[in-house]
Amino acid sequence: MNSLQQPIDIDFLDEIGIQQIVHMFDLLPDTLFWIKNENSQIIYANQAMLDTYGFKSISKIIGKADDSLSPPHIAKQFIMDDRKVMAGELVTNRIELNLRPNGEFAWFSTTKRPLTNRQGNIIGSYGFTHHLERSSHELSTISAIKAPVEYIRQNYHQDISIEELAKLAFLSVSALERRFKKYLSKTPKQFLNEIRLENARRLLIETQQPIMEIAYQCGFSEHSYFSKQFKALFGTLPSQLRKQILESNSQKELE
């Protein structure tokens, strides 16, 4: 038997130790790696993940759940994902559109697996995700909805019909909706609404513009409808978020 055919030395792997193995993931460029417990709380994250969320040390992120790292609607998706994985559903190289910490949307490829103990019981999950900006091969798989997605991102403040988006993708309305469901787990209308609300949230945080002006800039003509949709997605009213921001800024000035 030559060296290539020799069985894996399990004792050698045990001697290395899990701590040293997980630190190897710090060497992966543009790839986020994490381990979570059964409550979806982070118990390990590699350097790329720390950099992405702006943490200087791993101690600052351990114990945090997605609802303290991402906007509520995105965190909810991540947590639901974790539960499915811990129930036995595997996620392998799934192409998805997620919000980056800088507020921009980008395409990612994500893989998730359940984490088991020595008895084979599922006690958590782990996963990888990497940005597809430099991966034209994987991006080609979502070319059918790339045009309507980009159009929404650039023109969300205007009136946009589903028929218009379908024409951009050279698809029927029903086919376009199936593609959106497949790659984004939402309809074109839901995606448009979330893009509008994400931009509204950003303007509420970054500017002092009146709430109604922000709503109008982001494609909402009725204040009551905007407030209702905003609360449904983020769990708070625009006025409450603005108040929290003002109070936070006042507190920082006092410090």
Side-chain angles (χ1 to χ4, degrees), residues 134-152:
R134 300 183 183 90
S135 181
S136 59
H137 172 70
E138 289 175 293
L139 280 174
S140 66
T141 64
I142 48 138
S143 59
I145 62 169
K146 187 174 182 181
V149 163
E150 288 301 316
Y151 186 81
I152 289 172

Side-chain angles (χ1 to χ4, degrees), residues 215-253:
Y216 179 76
Q217 286 185 31
C218 294
F220 296 95
S221 58
E222 295 183 9
H223 184 272
S224 59
Y225 179 75
F226 167 64
S227 295
K228 181 179 179 181
Q229 292 296 306
F230 194 94
K231 185 174 184 180
L233 194 61
F234 298 119
T236 186
L237 290 169
S239 56
Q240 292 173 331
L241 177 60
R242 174 59 63 81
K243 183 180 178 182
Q244 291 169 8
I245 294 165
L246 292 174
E247 290 175 349
S248 177
N249 290 339
S250 297
Q251 184 64 34
K252 287 179 181 178
E253 289 177 1

Side-chain angles (χ1 to χ4, degrees), residues 38 82 85-88 113-117 119-125:
E38 60 184 0
D82 291 342
V85 168
M86 286 187 285
R113 292 288 187 272
L115 189 68
T116 60
N117 59 16
Q119 290 73 43
N121 301 315
I122 294 177
I123 58 173
S125 64

Side-chain angles (χ1 to χ4, degrees), residues 3-30:
S3 59
L4 294 178
Q5 296 174 319
Q6 291 178 355
I8 297 174
D9 189 338
I10 301 300
D11 291 335
F12 176 77
L13 293 180
D14 287 339
E15 187 176 347
I16 291 174
I18 187 65
Q19 194 68 33
Q20 188 173 186
I21 291 175
V22 295
H23 281 313
M24 295 177 186
F25 292 105
D26 287 335
L27 304 178
L28 294 174
D30 302 318

Side-chain angles (χ1 to χ4, degrees), residues 81-177:
D81 232 14
D82 291 342
R83 289 173 181 166
K84 289 179 181 178
V85 168
M86 286 187 285
E89 184 174 320
L90 304 183
V91 175
T92 304
N93 295 327
R94 183 178 65 198
I95 308 298
E96 54 192 17
L97 190 66
N98 288 329
L99 189 70
R100 304 183 76 183
N102 63 4
E104 291 291 324
F105 280 90
W107 293 104
F108 291 83
S109 176
T110 300
T111 295
K112 297 181 180 181
R113 292 288 187 272
L115 189 68
T116 60
N117 59 16
R118 293 182 183 275
Q119 290 73 43
N121 301 315
I122 294 177
I123 58 173
S125 64
Y126 67 94
F128 304 82
T129 189
H130 66 272
H131 188 205
L132 297 183
E133 190 174 63
R134 300 183 183 90
S135 181
S136 59
H137 172 70
E138 289 175 293
L139 280 174
S140 66
T141 64
I142 48 138
S143 59
I145 62 169
K146 187 174 182 181
V149 163
E150 288 301 316
Y151 186 81
I152 289 172
R153 290 175 61 188
Q154 295 176 18
N155 301 280
Y156 60 86
H157 53 285
Q158 301 177 1
D159 288 333
I160 300 175
S161 69
I162 305 303
E163 290 77 13
E164 186 179 2
L165 296 174
K167 287 180 180 179
L168 286 170
F170 302 100
L171 295 169
S172 66
V173 170
S174 58
L176 179 70
E177 291 184 336

